[in-house]
Amino acid sequence: MSVTDALLAYCLAATLLTLTPGLDTALILRTASVEGGKKAFHAALGIDAGCFVWGALVAFGLGALIAVSEVAYNLLKWCGAAYLLWLGVQLLFRPRESFTASAANGSKSTNWFLRGLLGNVLNPKMGVFYVSFLPQFIPAGYPPMEWTFLLVAIHVLIGTLWSLTLILATRSVSGALSKPTVVKWMDRSTGLLFMAFAAKLAFSKR
């Protein structure tokens, strides 16, 4: 596989992966809809940082350990499931009515970058995916470490563009989404979705 063929094939595969709805998409949409584009972008940057963390782990061989070690995989899997469950329970049983500074119930202090980062890093499927996926697009004879980071950077770029698209798409409906009943519905719906992702992760196999 030539360098051009490898990059084109990877860009197509990474784009399809990014467009597939998942936890990251749910987090960006919910945050952009009810918290604003700025906070949603912070969450997107956290998700991007998580990709680079996994890329570094894969590049230095630690990702392979997670891919082959049942104990390491299960430990990270249960930590990630517990984190998602905690987020889901908070949203489901403590929904907010508004996101103004006076009624945000502490939302101003929420670190959306950290939330996006943890959601990504505590998902072992990202590590397994990178371990099994990235090597297929590294041309023979090229340094694996440098190419791993290049491919992760491409994935991050595609993901960031998609996040910005989602954020911009919510602007036209931001007025309706700021109503108390809609805010509560968004929180509870996202909470249920996060809990479903937690269950899916907890019972998943490699």
Side-chain angles (χ1 to χ4, degrees), residues 18-162:
T18 301
L19 296 182
T20 302
L23 176 63
D24 294 345
T25 300
L27 180 63
I28 295 297
L29 277 176
R30 182 263 173 197
T31 308
S33 299
V34 295
E35 303 263 6
K38 184 177 181 180
K39 292 180 180 179
F41 187 65
H42 289 170
L45 291 179
I47 294 169
D48 292 344
C51 290
F52 277 115
V53 170
W54 276 118
L57 291 174
V58 170
F60 292 107
L62 296 180
L65 174 64
I66 295 172
V68 300
S69 170
E70 192 74 23
V71 174
Y73 179 87
N74 285 335
L75 178 61
L76 192 58
K77 179 182 74 173
W78 285 109
C79 287
Y83 176 70
L84 290 177
L85 180 62
W86 178 79
L87 288 180
V89 169
Q90 292 292 311
L91 290 169
L92 180 62
F93 294 105
R94 297 179 60 187
R96 288 163 283 189
E97 295 185 357
S98 70
F99 294 91
T100 61
S102 60
N105 205 16
S107 67
K108 283 186 68 177
S109 62
T110 299
N111 190 327
W112 289 101
F113 176 87
L114 183 61
R115 182 164 290 191
L117 174 65
L118 289 176
N120 196 314
V121 171
L122 291 177
N123 183 0
K125 282 187 170 291
M126 276 296 297
V128 174
F129 171 77
Y130 269 7
V131 167
S132 60
F133 186 70
L134 297 183
Q136 301 178 46
F137 300 94
I138 299 178
Y142 285 83
M145 184 175 295
E146 286 84 346
W147 264 82
T148 296
F149 281 110
L150 173 62
L151 295 178
V152 171
I154 293 173
H155 183 208
V156 166
L157 176 61
I158 294 172
T160 301
L161 292 175
W162 177 237

Side-chain angles (χ1 to χ4, degrees), residues 178-202:
S178 65
K179 295 180 179 179
T181 53
V182 177
V183 170
K184 281 187 175 182
W185 177 84
M186 285 288 294
D187 267 11
R188 287 172 174 158
S189 298
T190 306
L192 286 172
L193 187 60
F194 279 13
M195 292 170 72
F197 278 121
K200 181 180 179 181
L201 180 58

